[in-house]
């Protein structure tokens, strides 16, 4: 089967970049990305391609190439569904905030709405592709909804989870480690649907990297991959605390570990804690699924990854307070970086939100600088926690777009995102304009401790012994 029209429901961090790359690699296919969020669609259509709603290196050029040719962004969901032979569902699947499974299960409200809309509009057979991350066996629910329309339209449901990471989305999409397609491998129609989707990827991905499984394995593989990745971060973060009390250096430990080819060097950077929209949500979802099958030990095992992550964020904030002589009340603390990692403007579940919330509870005066996150978003993130009223958040936290201004007269700086530009600052100038002792808490082990210590900063890194002015500090190991 040759696909000529694709519709993608959901123009977010996944739908936008994924479809832009498909449109680039398959100029013969018309790709329409639809969303109910009018503002977001207007931003995707912004004439100035640098102002699309997502900051992602390399994305503007890919969007520019396809937009208006075979890549379209629209709010007309019905028409796009009607025209398409293949529909990707790429809507949000956050943790439920109400009812049964509150705080754990994935909220499938938006997925179900999509299924019902597809069922209502479709007049010819469709391949429906789950791109969103979903609990194992969601495809069965989708099938049920689509089967009961009684209008004779046939559907094939495929699971095609996305493994891109924000900040490197375009490279990840162009050169994926693997593409996973789960489908009904036991029927002719199922196999045809899988090969229709595979044909699209084969335009740029080697066939050997396209993996076909049954739907349930595919759905569960996605949750498992995120759980394993997050587990590595929590594991190295657990060791960071042990390093701090034993005098070991977590960067050296990570390097030594990573050189073992069975372990590998990636995802061993100790940090203030992982953030992002997915790790926590997907693990909680996994825990919920395990619990609902009565697998207590399995649930508890994975829950520990989240517990460790929460501990790391709290421990970081507590360390700031303890170091500043047990009080931060009325003291200016500068936060460099608000996004959950570098090269993205996404702030969902960013460690910065929780560290700052903790410091505001202790009556600190916060100044924030992030190269890509807007003030409005920062206030929104804090308001969402409802720890204090909106006025108090605005009164006690000031967002500036000048890092030097942000650091001026502050008691301490906390680096919470690993933006490259932080390394290039004139740290001598920053030091001169701070109160002394000038404390620097590097939540990403990003900065050159040796140089900064020489300038006069008192530095607290993650998982490292505190350097003294004359101590020799080894260079950071190359762990990506
Ligand atoms: N953000 C990431 O890096 C990754 C996310 N995922 C998964 O992909 C899915 C989407 O994630 P994001 O793109 O980050 O979410 P997002 O929140 O950025 O985008 C989702 C979009 O879907 C739209 N939407 C919701 N219901 C709709 C409906 N009924 N009709 C039309 N549009 C609708 C929303 O308005 C929103 O713009 C989630 O399941 C997530 O777990 C998977 C891999 C990577
Ligand atoms: O399902 C998803 O949403 C995606 O989740 C992650 O991607 P993402 O959250 O965008 O970014 P990561 O690079 O995984 O980083 C997640 C968090 O862990 C932190 N991290 C990562 C690596 C590390 O060594 N140390 C560390 O603290 C990052 O700073 C960040 O806060 C996965 O890497 C993707 O494969 C997956 O598709």
């Amino acid at each position: 089967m040759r696909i000529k029209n694709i519709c993608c429901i959901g123009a977010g961090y996944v739908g936008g970049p994924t479809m832009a790359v498909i449109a680039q690699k398959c100029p013969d296919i018309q790709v329409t990305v639809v969303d109910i969020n009018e503002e977001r669609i207007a931003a995707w259509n912004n004439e100035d391609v640098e102002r699309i709603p997502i900051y992602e290196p390399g994305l503007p050029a890919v969007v520019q190439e396809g937009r208006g040719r075979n890549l379209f962004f629209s709010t007309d969901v019905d028409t796009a569904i009607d025209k398409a032979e293949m529909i990707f569902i790429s809507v949000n699947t956050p943790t439920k905030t109400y009812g049964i499974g509150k705080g754990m299960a994935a909220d499938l409200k938006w997925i179900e709405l999509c299924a019902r809309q597809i069922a209502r509009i479709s007049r010819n057979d469709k391949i429906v592709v789950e791109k969103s991350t979903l609990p194992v066996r969601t495809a069965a629910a989708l099938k049920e909804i689509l089967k009961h329309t009684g209008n004779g339209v046939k559907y094939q449901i495929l699971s095609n989870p996305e493994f891109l990471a924000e900040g490197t989305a375009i490279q990840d999409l162009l050169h994926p480690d693997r593409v996973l397609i789960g489908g009904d491998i036991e029927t002719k129609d199922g196999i045809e649907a899988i090969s229709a989707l595979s044909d699209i990827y084969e335009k740029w991905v080697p066939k050997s990297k396209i993996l076909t499984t049954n739907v349930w394995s595919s759905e569960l593989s996605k949750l498992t991959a995120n759980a394993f990745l997050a587990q590595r971060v929590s594991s190295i973060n657990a060791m960071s605390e042990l390093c701090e009390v034993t005098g070991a250096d977590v960067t050296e430990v990570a390097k030594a570990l990573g050189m073992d080819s069975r372990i590998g060097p990636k995802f061993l950077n100790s940090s203030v804690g992982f953030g992002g929209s997915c790790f926590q949500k997907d693990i909680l979802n996994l825990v919920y699924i395990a619990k609902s099958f009565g697998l207590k030990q399995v649930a508890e095992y994975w829950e520990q990854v989240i517990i460790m992550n929460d501990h790391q964020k709290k421990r970081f904030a507590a360390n700031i307070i303890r170091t500043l002589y047990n009080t931060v009340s009325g003291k200016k603390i500068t936060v460099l970086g608000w996004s959950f990692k570098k090269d993205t403007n996404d702030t969902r579940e960013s460690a910065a939100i929780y560290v700052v919330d903790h410091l505001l509870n202790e009556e600190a005066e916060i100044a924030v600088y992030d190269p890509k996150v807007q003030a409005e978003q920062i206030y929104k993130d804090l308001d969402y926690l409802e720890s204090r009223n909106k006025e108090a958040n605005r009164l006690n936290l000031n967002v500036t777009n000048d890092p030097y201004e942000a650091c001026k007269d502050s008691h301490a700086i906390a680096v919470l995102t690993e933006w490259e530009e932080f390394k290039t600052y004139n740290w001598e100038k920053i030091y001169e304009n701070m109160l002394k002792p000038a404390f620097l808490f590097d939540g990403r082990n990003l900065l050159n401790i040796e140089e900064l210590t020489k300038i006069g900063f008192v530095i607290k890194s993650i998982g490292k012994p505190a350097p003294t002015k004359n101590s020799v500090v080894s260079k950071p190991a190359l762990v990506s």
Side-chain angles (χ1 to χ4, degrees):
M1 186 196 306
R2 229 188 106 235
I3 303 295
K4 291 195 216 75
N5 283 287
I6 285 177
C7 158
C8 172
I9 310 180
Y13 284 87
V14 167
T18 326
M19 292 303 128
V21 167
I22 290 184
Q24 184 192 45
K25 297 295 176 185
C26 310
D28 298 342
I29 300 179
Q30 177 155 335
V31 180
T32 309
V33 192
V34 290
D35 205 294
I36 41 177
N37 183 334
E38 288 177 12
E39 213 181 306
R40 214 166 200 185
I41 290 297
W44 279 112
N45 284 323
N46 197 312
E47 237 172 80
D48 178 357
V49 78
E50 296 296 333
R51 298 180 67 188
I52 52 178
I54 292 172
Y55 173 71
E56 188 63 59
L59 179 60
V62 183
V63 169
Q64 183 82 301
E65 188 183 331
R67 212 169 51 176
R69 178 190 70 188
N70 67 327
L71 175 65
F72 302 91
F73 295 92
S74 164
T75 49
D76 187 354
V77 185
D78 288 358
T79 305
I81 290 175
D82 185 36
K83 257 176 76 181
E85 301 98 28
M86 184 177 274
I87 302 165
F88 287 79
I89 301 182
S90 190
V91 300
N92 36 326
T93 50
T95 306
K96 258 185 107 176
T97 53
Y98 55 89
I100 297 171
K102 179 180 171 180
M104 290 223 124
D107 193 343
L108 300 180
K109 189 161 66 185
W110 293 276
I111 293 284
E112 184 174 338
L113 281 173
C114 288
R116 291 191 184 279
Q117 194 162 4
I118 295 169
R120 182 166 52 79
I121 300 298
S122 298
R123 293 177 295 168
N124 44 21
D125 297 352
K126 309 274 185 206
I127 298 172
V128 176
V129 185
E130 298 175 345
K131 195 56 147 161
S132 297
T133 303
L134 297 169
V136 58
R137 297 203 80 84
T138 304
L142 285 182
K143 211 173 204 165
E144 274 293 301
I145 294 169
L146 295 171
K147 198 170 78 182
H148 282 95
T149 53
N151 61 1
V153 173
K154 283 197 283 176
Y155 298 94
Q156 276 300 319
I157 319 277
L158 301 180
S159 160
N160 173 221
E162 185 48 61
F163 295 99
L164 69 80
E166 289 176 30
T168 52
I170 296 301
Q171 284 313 308
D172 295 344
L173 287 165
L174 292 176
H175 310 286
D177 286 346
R178 77 318 209 169
V179 166
L180 183 56
I181 304 178
D184 188 354
I185 43 183
E186 275 157 19
T187 65
K188 185 171 154 283
D189 287 352
I191 292 165
E192 255 177 36
I194 292 171
S195 84
L197 181 55
S198 183
D199 284 349
I200 293 173
Y201 284 112
E202 280 170 45
K203 291 279 187 310
W204 78 97
V205 179
K207 208 170 173 174
S208 58
K209 290 195 170 187
I210 301 176
L211 190 65
T212 306
T213 64
N214 78 31
V215 185
W216 323 129
S217 304
S218 171
E219 288 177 336
L220 190 56
S221 298
K222 171 64 194 176
L223 291 182
T224 311
N226 274 358
F228 269 57
L229 289 168
Q231 183 201 42
R232 273 176 80 97
V233 179
S234 275
S235 296
I236 198 70
N237 281 344
M239 298 326 291
S240 75
E241 193 169 10
L242 200 53
C243 284
E244 285 164 30
V245 292
T246 56
D249 179 331
V250 76
T251 312
E252 292 177 349
V253 172
K255 187 174 183 185
L257 278 182
M259 286 173 77
D260 185 324
S261 61
R262 293 167 303 174
I263 297 175
K266 293 184 179 169
F267 258 73
L268 287 178
N269 283 326
S270 185
S271 68
V272 55
F274 62 75
S277 64
C278 293
F279 278 0
Q280 174 161 314
K281 141 179 108 66
D282 292 348
I283 293 179
L284 288 173
N285 187 2
L286 200 62
V287 169
Y288 182 73
I289 294 169
K291 274 188 182 160
S292 46
F293 283 104
L295 309 179
K296 184 170 169 284
Q297 288 78 0
V298 178
E300 281 172 3
Y301 176 76
W302 286 109
E303 201 163 20
Q304 202 58 38
V305 174
I306 304 288
I307 293 171
M308 188 63 226
N309 196 48
D310 286 342
H311 171 67
Q312 189 77 347
K313 290 181 275 189
K314 278 193 205 123
R315 184 169 93 75
F316 187 85
N319 190 20
I320 296 181
I321 298 159
R322 197 173 48 247
T323 309
L324 268 64
Y325 317 108
N326 289 318
T327 177
V328 290
S329 180
K331 292 181 181 167
K332 179 175 175 184
I333 297 176
T334 304
V335 167
L336 294 181
W338 191 266
S339 59
F340 81 97
K341 62 185 281 199
K342 71 172 176 181
D343 291 338
T344 178
N345 60 346
D346 195 347
T347 64
R348 289 177 288 183
E349 291 301 328
S350 179
I353 304 170
Y354 298 94
V355 170
V356 165
D357 187 53
H358 202 80
L359 295 174
L360 285 172
N361 283 343
E362 295 288 328
E363 301 184 345
E365 300 286 328
I366 306 288
V368 182
Y369 167 78
D370 184 287
K372 291 291 169 194
V373 181
Q374 308 294 322
E376 196 188 326
Q377 184 61 48
I378 293 172
Y379 291 126
K380 210 165 133 187
D381 290 336
L382 282 170
D383 293 345
Y384 183 77
L385 296 183
E386 293 183 352
S387 303
R388 63 199 71 73
N389 65 37
K390 294 183 176 184
E391 289 69 38
N393 282 333
R394 281 147 191 80
L395 195 68
N396 298 312
L397 183 144
N398 182 32
V399 183
T400 140
N401 47 23
D402 176 357
Y404 295 95
E405 190 54 40
C407 295
K408 196 162 176 273
D409 296 329
S410 78
H411 288 255
I413 295 172
V415 175
L416 298 185
T417 312
E418 73 282 25
W419 287 102
E420 289 295 320
E421 68 165 62
F422 298 163
K423 293 196 227 167
T424 66
Y425 289 171
N426 180 344
W427 284 99
E428 267 157 17
K429 180 173 159 194
I430 290 176
Y431 177 77
E432 274 162 28
N433 290 326
M434 280 177 72
L435 298 183
K436 309 295 177 322
F439 292 103
L440 203 156
F441 298 84
D442 188 350
R444 296 290 183 165
N445 290 342
L446 177 78
L447 301 172
N448 186 324
I449 310 183
E450 203 177 352
E451 274 174 22
L452 294 180
T453 307
K454 268 194 208 141
I455 293 174
F457 282 100
V458 180
I459 303 190
K460 300 272 176 176
S461 310
I462 305 266
K464 286 173 189 281
T468 57
K469 239 183 177 167
N470 301 316
S471 69
V472 179
V473 181
S474 52
K475 295 272 177 298
L478 287 175
V479 181
S480 54

